[in-house]
Amino acid sequence: MPVRVTLDALIVKKGLKARDLAAEVGLSETQLSLFRSGKVKGIRFRTMARLCAALDCRPGDLLDYSFDPADLTAPDEPE
């Protein structure tokens, strides 16, 4: 899937430690790590809002997308 999580770059740019960000946002370090690695299938809007508030950014700063025509025709993954 061409959606990538770019949170790591933002953490480095802001000079933060992931452990401190997780504590500020109210996530476990494991949850934040899973999101950073792109191993989650979704994220709550409230969690995204907390990350944006803590990092002084917008949701688009946390995610990136590279167009793939197959995205328009590929079946959804089962939940």
Side-chain angles (χ1 to χ4, degrees), residues 1 17-18 28 36-39 43 47 60-61 68 71 79:
M1 177 171 11
K17 292 187 178 183
S28 71
R36 290 170 58 199
S37 67
K39 293 183 180 176
I43 184 170
T47 302
D61 297 327
D68 182 350
D71 288 337
E79 295 185 27

Side-chain angles (χ1 to χ4, degrees), residues 25-69:
V25 173
L27 294 173
S28 71
E29 290 180 51
T30 301
Q31 289 171 314
L32 184 63
S33 176
L34 288 171
F35 179 63
R36 290 170 58 199
S37 67
K39 293 183 180 176
V40 296
K41 295 196 183 267
I43 184 170
R44 293 178 185 269
F45 285 147
R46 183 68 191 135
T47 302
M48 182 80 70
R50 287 179 178 168
L51 284 168
C52 288
L55 295 167
D56 189 28
C57 70
R58 302 181 68 76
D61 297 327
L62 302 176
L63 301 170
D64 191 30
Y65 173 75
S66 298
F67 179 74
D68 182 350

